[in-house]
Amino acid sequence: NLQESESENKLDGETASDSESKSEFGGSPPVPTSDDTPEVLNRALSNLSSRWKNWWVRGILTLAMITFFFIIIYLGPMVLMTIVMCVQIKCFHEIITIGYNVYHSYDLPWFRTLSWYFLLCVNYFFYGETVTDYFFTLVQREEPLRILSKYHRFISFALYLTGFCMFVLSLVKKHYRLQFYMFGWTHVTLLIVVTQSHLIIHNLFEGMIWFIVPISCVICNDIMAYMFGFFFGRTPLIKLSPKKTWEGFIGGFFATVLFGLLLSYVMSGYRCFTCPVEFNNDTNSFTVDCEPSELFQLQEYNIPLVLQSVVGWKTVRMYPFQIHSIALSTFASLIGPFGGFFASGFKRAFKIKDFANTIPGHGGIMDRFDCQYLMATFVNVYIASFIRGPNPSKLIQQFLTLRPDQQLHIFNTLRSHLVDKGMLGALEDA
Amino acid sequence: EVDLEERLVDLDLRSDSDVPDVPPPTDSTPEILKRALSGLSARWKNWWIRGILTLAMISVFFLIIYLGSFMLMLLVLSIQVKCYHEIITIGYRVYHSYDLPWFRSLSWYFLLCVNYFFYGETVADYFATFVQRREQLQFLIRYHRFISFALYLTGFCMFVLSLVKKHYRLQFYMFAWTHVTLLITVTQSHLVIQNLFEGMIWFLVPISSVICNDITAYIFGFFFGRTPLIKLSPKKTWEGFIGGFFSTVVFGFIFSYFLAQHQYFVCPVEYNSETNRFVTECEPSELFQMKKYSLPPLLQPVLGWETVNMYPFQMHSIALSTFASLIGPFGGFFASGFKRAFKIKDFADTIPGHGGIMDRFDCQYLMATFVHVYITSFIRGPNPSKLLKQLLILQPEQQLSVYKTLKSHLIEKGILQPSLRG
């Protein structure tokens, strides 16, 4: 029985109960949050009451972040990739720092070095896989890059193993459990932070619209749910986040779907957003230039009879991508918040108010990006399953590196498949 | 008033000796053995039990090899599930969290999801022709990633909804524990199966090398051991380590020589759709054809030969054995550190005299990943089955254009004879 064992556990280390204290967040939090607001803002808002001041600080920072977002989009894919990388590193740092604070393990031998080393290894592995895919011709030309790419997995594995052996050799008698905890903590953090950021970059390479629309939907859902909750909120949604309400949730859902439709409509018209990002070998820069795919060409859709009377039109011209945007917005509004609840639960479990205090009024970078993580994976899986098939030219490239007998086997299987489907006459080939 | 939670966290950080032990596992030696060995002293009795069980395990291993690839896959799956169960049970005991709401179901559910994802990726690759014929399977394969992700998400949302006010931290710990365990056990077991499909020799030689290293390091340590190797495992010695290294390299070398002669071990495992069975029949690749190697001038006077007939695979086996002897033990040290950290003697008591399944397999994990990475980097080019699978999910028009390109390429290379129809 959990109740009985609680009293036994008082001498144990980790136990079941998070005992409730008076304030919402327990006793003194391990991470003291200092007021980070710049002096300028402080003086400008000195007259207002504390509640409105907080509201204004949050509002101004929100606008600042959105403006920053637009600027980076303008600057292009390379800058975007760099920003994604920086955000990833900062999130990793925030979560690891929380681990240090929770376990008072800042002074563990070697551990800070090892955490950053593992981050480097995993990033090297993932970037190597992406670079090989997208920069294929560039890599084949340069001799050192070619060798690095050919033995990439082996090199990454060797690097990781070195870190693993260093960890084993660094185990110190009195701190075994702590060291294992930090090892586990590092790996789970890597799993969450690094894999997602690489999925975001994959999405980006599909076309900037696949990067911008999902992120905007999540941000919009955050803001809309907050506003609907502020004005109409009455029924609490979940015990984990007492400020969220059903009214905010549902209102945010509809607002986000609408926003997604409109944003996709506007973006689908521009090639710089809809074309896959490619690396041009001659100019050595990224280009976004192509014939827009079917998804981004206007089509006539018949409005279902039910809506015809309401809207008054019989057909409507839309981009097929807008239909997909409905799926993306729905996910952002319905499942995305679970990422937020997970982060809330995490903060309550470890008795912290925010992940860090990087952004005044908002908390840390993780606080802003907690809902984005599930979204990035979803978009990647969505694209792989419903949009993009395998790339035929890439497949041909891979085919050419096989042995002749393997090539023949594949060719024959393909031929029998096409014959089965009736696309080839049965007597077509020798 | 000091916060209870903080006081408990402080207690956790005091030296490990303050934390009470997890209750030791019970003695599960079968009655028969106990009676047979009742005459001997406790130390010899233990030695005999270990010896008998070692032989029993090796015999089971040979039996399964004889029964074929499918049985091997099942065996790997069972071991994976048992290892997962052992590690999760340790987590429950450490955190006294056996009664956490939903948590047992969620752990098994996540195991199922991740296995489904990995098996789907493997099955789709190797059973491409089988899958093509059945419509329902095609649907599952085509949207495999989406279905796996949806299943995982369901588990994730269930976890979030199951968070209970007093047990947040514990639930997060168990969540993380489950995920790290999945990362270790499930990914490795799938790499083992992929190695198996390359050819049973890629499965047998690495595993045997690790077992051999275990046994010979123990024997060398028993007879010659004097200098301790590492504080984590006081029983290991440098003499055992180095002796085990040389013996394992020699063993791997000889063992590969015998295995490389049989098609059964050397050929990639393929699924024959007509007979609905696994077949291992092929033209042995270059790796498994005898070649003459000139001995370096240094060794010539020693051995008296100028050239030697060897399989190229034997050179690779040296690399595999070296890894098994030098780096494999780090997996064992990791597991020892883990057991010390959580104050347990063995992972479980499944095998009398040896402990749990994890105790036997702790060195194997790094080995499986190494072999897989080794094969993809140095042996095998891109995976033809994966390529085939991707070709088959293209749009028909794309398939036709790819077909035409391939045909012209093959004719150009002379691999395919141009048909009379042109």
Side-chain angles (χ1 to χ4, degrees):
Chain A
N1 193 318
L2 208 53
Q3 300 298 77
E4 284 167 11
S5 53
E6 267 176 8
S7 48
E8 288 180 296
N9 289 350
K10 279 191 186 142
L11 292 175
D12 255 9
E14 314 295 324
T15 68
S17 77
D18 296 336
S19 52
E20 279 293 282
S21 325
K22 286 172 194 161
S23 79
E24 193 178 272
F25 298 102
S28 50
V31 183
T33 47
S34 53
D35 183 12
D36 222 30
T37 332
E39 263 312 299
V40 176
L41 277 178
N42 262 334
R43 255 179 280 131
L45 306 168
S46 52
N47 294 335
L48 304 164
S49 77
S50 157
R51 181 166 178 249
W52 279 108
K53 183 161 141 190
N54 190 44
W55 213 94
W56 272 106
V57 169
R58 279 185 77 108
I60 290 173
L61 259 304
T62 308
L63 285 173
M65 289 192 287
I66 294 178
T67 316
F68 186 63
F69 187 42
F70 278 126
I71 292 178
I72 313 174
I73 293 173
Y74 176 73
L75 287 175
M78 187 69 195
V79 179
L80 266 173
M81 272 174 58
T82 320
I83 295 289
V84 169
M85 179 83 178
C86 298
V87 168
Q88 174 211 97
I89 293 179
K90 191 71 181 65
C91 288
F92 181 79
H93 176 66
E94 284 180 6
I95 301 183
I96 292 288
T97 311
I98 291 176
Y100 292 152
N101 288 327
V102 167
Y103 291 111
H104 303 274
S105 59
Y106 209 71
D107 301 315
L108 261 188
W110 280 102
F111 211 78
R112 269 174 285 163
T113 325
L114 272 175
S115 306
W116 289 105
Y117 179 78
F118 280 126
L119 178 69
L120 205 74
C121 283
V122 181
N123 262 320
Y124 174 75
F125 172 68
F126 278 113
Y127 270 108
E129 301 266 302
T130 344
V131 163
T132 324
D133 276 356
Y134 291 107
F135 292 82
F136 191 72
T137 30
L138 172 71
V139 166
Q140 293 299 97
R141 257 194 325 205
E142 311 285 331
E143 200 43 38
L145 284 186
R146 199 180 67 82
I147 295 183
L148 278 183
S149 123
K150 191 169 155 81
Y151 299 111
H152 179 253
R153 286 199 179 179
F154 191 76
I155 296 172
S156 313
F157 184 62
L159 287 175
Y160 177 83
L161 264 192
T162 315
F164 183 84
C165 295
M166 291 304 307
F167 169 73
V168 171
L169 293 172
S170 79
L171 288 173
V172 176
K173 198 169 190 179
K174 287 205 178 165
H175 304 299
Y176 288 148
R177 188 182 280 220
L178 203 59
Q179 289 180 296
F180 272 94
Y181 280 156
M182 288 312 295
F183 188 77
W185 191 289
T186 304
H187 278 70
V188 176
T189 311
L190 283 172
L191 194 72
I192 298 176
V193 171
V194 180
T195 53
Q196 310 293 334
S197 78
H198 281 273
L199 292 178
I200 290 182
I201 291 183
H202 273 286
N203 298 343
L204 179 67
F205 271 95
E206 275 304 303
M208 278 175 54
I209 198 172
W210 291 104
F211 170 81
I212 296 174
V213 168
I215 292 188
S216 317
C217 286
V218 174
I219 295 175
C220 171
N221 186 60
D222 252 358
I223 297 176
M224 289 294 144
Y226 180 78
M227 294 202 160
F228 274 85
F230 189 79
F231 290 116
F232 308 112
R234 250 170 315 170
T235 340
L237 182 60
I238 190 172
K239 272 176 293 188
L240 265 178
S241 302
K243 288 184 193 161
K244 309 260 183 216
T245 56
W246 275 103
E247 289 82 6
F249 187 68
I250 296 177
F253 167 59
F254 284 110
T256 308
V257 170
L258 206 62
F259 169 81
L261 278 172
L262 290 171
L263 182 71
S264 327
Y265 181 77
V266 169
M267 294 192 105
S268 301
Y270 297 95
R271 272 205 224 157
C272 66
F273 294 127
T274 61
C275 288
V277 174
E278 277 169 31
F279 184 74
N280 192 326
N281 296 308
D282 311 309
T283 62
N284 267 359
S285 67
F286 289 101
T287 52
V288 271
D289 208 9
C290 67
E291 196 56 44
S293 81
E294 270 188 6
L295 272 188
F296 303 105
Q297 289 169 8
L298 275 175
Q299 277 188 33
E300 297 243 357
Y301 286 92
N302 296 321
I303 301 188
L305 289 166
V306 176
L307 289 176
Q308 269 187 24
S309 34
V310 173
V311 178
W313 300 320
K314 286 222 186 112
T315 61
V316 68
R317 297 186 58 144
M318 279 196 338
Y319 294 100
F321 179 77
Q322 292 182 272
I323 312 281
H324 292 296
S325 84
I326 296 180
L328 299 181
S329 320
T330 309
F331 184 89
S333 327
L334 298 186
I335 312 288
F338 276 89
F341 301 150
F342 186 86
S344 294
F346 180 85
K347 287 189 281 192
R348 279 166 188 276
F350 294 99
K351 306 263 180 202
I352 52 182
K353 186 180 182 303
D354 285 318
F355 279 90
N357 54 355
T358 322
I359 312 176
H362 285 268
I365 300 273
M366 261 310 281
D367 288 291
R368 288 302 94 214
F369 284 86
D370 52 23
C371 300
Q372 299 282 2
Y373 281 118
L374 289 178
M375 192 77 208
T377 320
F378 176 75
V379 174
N380 190 275
V381 170
Y382 189 87
I383 293 177
S385 304
F386 298 113
I387 310 290
R388 164 171 59 103
N391 184 352
S393 40
K394 201 167 135 193
L395 290 180
I396 294 181
Q397 264 170 15
Q398 287 184 335
F399 183 86
L400 296 175
T401 61
L402 289 175
R403 293 193 315 256
D405 59 312
Q406 291 170 319
Q407 289 181 343
L408 207 54
H409 169 71
I410 289 183
F411 178 76
N412 285 328
T413 316
L414 185 62
R415 176 160 64 97
S416 52
H417 172 79
L418 285 173
V419 168
D420 277 345
K421 291 258 174 178
M423 309 242 355
L424 265 185
L427 302 172
E428 164 71 35
D429 226 341
Chain B
E1 178 197 289
V2 179
D3 187 44
L4 183 65
E5 178 65 46
E6 289 198 359
R7 186 148 48 97
L8 296 167
V9 170
D10 282 334
L11 284 173
D12 181 52
L13 301 169
R14 278 193 284 162
S15 92
D16 284 337
S17 56
D18 284 0
V19 180
D21 290 341
V22 175
T26 50
D27 181 16
S28 73
T29 330
E31 264 313 300
I32 301 178
L33 276 176
K34 274 200 195 149
R35 256 180 278 135
L37 303 167
S38 54
L40 303 161
S41 76
R43 181 166 178 247
W44 279 109
K45 187 159 134 188
N46 192 45
W47 214 93
W48 271 107
I49 292 179
R50 280 186 75 110
I52 289 173
L53 261 304
T54 307
L55 286 173
M57 287 192 288
I58 294 179
S59 315
V60 168
F61 189 42
F62 278 125
L63 187 68
I64 310 250
I65 293 171
Y66 176 73
L67 289 175
S69 328
F70 186 67
M71 290 303 295
L72 269 171
M73 274 172 61
L74 279 184
L75 181 71
V76 171
L77 182 63
S78 324
I79 290 178
Q80 174 212 99
V81 172
K82 190 71 181 67
C83 286
Y84 182 80
H85 176 68
E86 286 181 5
I87 302 182
I88 291 289
T89 312
I90 292 176
Y92 291 153
R93 287 209 297 245
V94 167
Y95 291 112
H96 300 272
S97 61
Y98 208 71
D99 301 317
L100 261 190
W102 279 101
F103 209 78
R104 269 175 284 165
S105 330
L106 272 175
S107 305
W108 289 107
Y109 178 80
F110 280 126
L111 178 69
L112 206 74
C113 282
V114 181
N115 263 318
Y116 174 75
F117 172 69
F118 277 114
Y119 272 109
E121 299 267 302
T122 350
V123 163
D125 279 1
Y126 292 106
F127 292 79
T129 36
F130 179 78
V131 164
Q132 281 307 103
R133 305 237 197 91
R134 289 154 178 76
E135 275 309 305
Q136 310 90 325
L137 285 185
Q138 271 203 35
F139 174 79
L140 282 181
I141 299 290
R142 207 194 165 87
Y143 300 111
H144 175 69
R145 287 200 180 181
F146 192 77
I147 296 173
S148 313
F149 184 62
L151 287 175
Y152 177 82
L153 264 192
T154 314
F156 182 85
C157 295
M158 292 304 306
F159 169 73
V160 171
L161 294 172
S162 79
L163 287 173
V164 177
K165 200 170 190 181
K166 286 206 178 161
H167 306 302
Y168 288 147
R169 188 182 283 218
L170 198 61
Q171 289 180 295
F172 272 93
Y173 280 152
M174 289 311 296
F175 187 77
W177 191 288
T178 304
H179 278 69
V180 176
T181 313
L182 283 172
L183 196 70
I184 299 176
T185 55
V186 181
T187 52
Q188 311 294 337
S189 79
H190 281 272
L191 291 178
V192 169
I193 290 181
Q194 292 206 304
N195 296 343
L196 178 67
F197 271 96
E198 273 304 302
M200 275 172 60
I201 199 175
W202 291 104
F203 172 82
L204 291 174
V205 168
I207 291 188
S208 320
S209 299
V210 174
I211 296 176
C212 169
N213 185 61
D214 251 358
I215 296 176
T216 47
Y218 180 77
I219 293 179
F220 272 87
F222 190 79
F223 289 114
F224 306 113
R226 254 170 312 174
T227 339
L229 181 59
I230 188 172
K231 271 176 294 188
L232 265 178
S233 300
K235 288 185 194 164
K236 310 258 184 217
T237 56
W238 274 103
E239 290 82 9
F241 188 68
I242 296 178
F245 168 58
F246 284 111
S247 331
T248 308
V249 170
V250 171
F251 167 81
F253 202 74
I254 298 177
F255 192 51
S256 328
Y257 179 77
F258 285 112
L259 287 184
Q261 295 167 354
H262 303 277
Q263 268 192 17
Y264 181 68
F265 296 119
V266 154
C267 291
V269 175
E270 278 170 28
Y271 183 74
N272 191 326
S273 350
E274 281 108 56
T275 61
N276 267 1
R277 281 173 52 235
F278 288 100
V279 293
T280 47
E281 257 174 34
C282 64
E283 196 58 43
S285 81
E286 272 186 2
L287 271 187
F288 303 104
Q289 286 167 12
M290 281 268 216
K291 274 167 70 165
K292 269 185 138 56
Y293 285 91
S294 327
L295 279 179
L298 288 170
L299 287 177
Q300 274 185 21
V302 173
L303 289 172
W305 301 320
E306 277 186 6
T307 63
V308 65
N309 277 333
M310 275 196 340
Y311 295 100
F313 179 78
Q314 292 182 273
M315 307 301 285
H316 293 297
S317 84
I318 296 181
L320 298 181
S321 316
T322 309
F323 185 88
S325 326
L326 298 187
I327 310 288
F330 276 88
F333 300 149
F334 187 85
S336 294
F338 181 84
K339 286 188 282 192
R340 280 167 188 277
F342 296 99
K343 302 271 178 191
I344 54 181
K345 186 179 182 303
D346 286 318
F347 278 91
D349 55 6
T350 321
I351 309 175
H354 285 269
I357 300 273
M358 262 310 282
D359 288 292
R360 290 302 94 212
F361 285 86
D362 49 25
C363 300
Q364 300 280 3
Y365 281 117
L366 288 178
M367 191 75 208
T369 321
F370 176 75
V371 174
H372 183 82
V373 170
Y374 190 85
I375 293 177
T376 48
S377 301
F378 298 114
I379 313 286
R380 164 166 64 103
N383 184 353
S385 342
K386 208 174 185 75
L387 188 59
L388 185 61
K389 165 188 146 194
Q390 289 184 317
L391 278 175
L392 294 173
I393 50 180
L394 283 175
Q395 299 298 323
E397 305 80 32
Q398 290 173 314
Q399 284 179 341
L400 204 54
S401 79
V402 168
Y403 170 78
K404 292 194 176 133
T405 318
L406 295 184
K407 184 167 128 183
S408 56
H409 168 79
L410 287 176
I411 290 178
E412 206 183 289
K413 289 267 175 176
I415 300 172
L416 195 65
Q417 301 306 315
S419 71
L420 291 175
R421 288 163 178 270

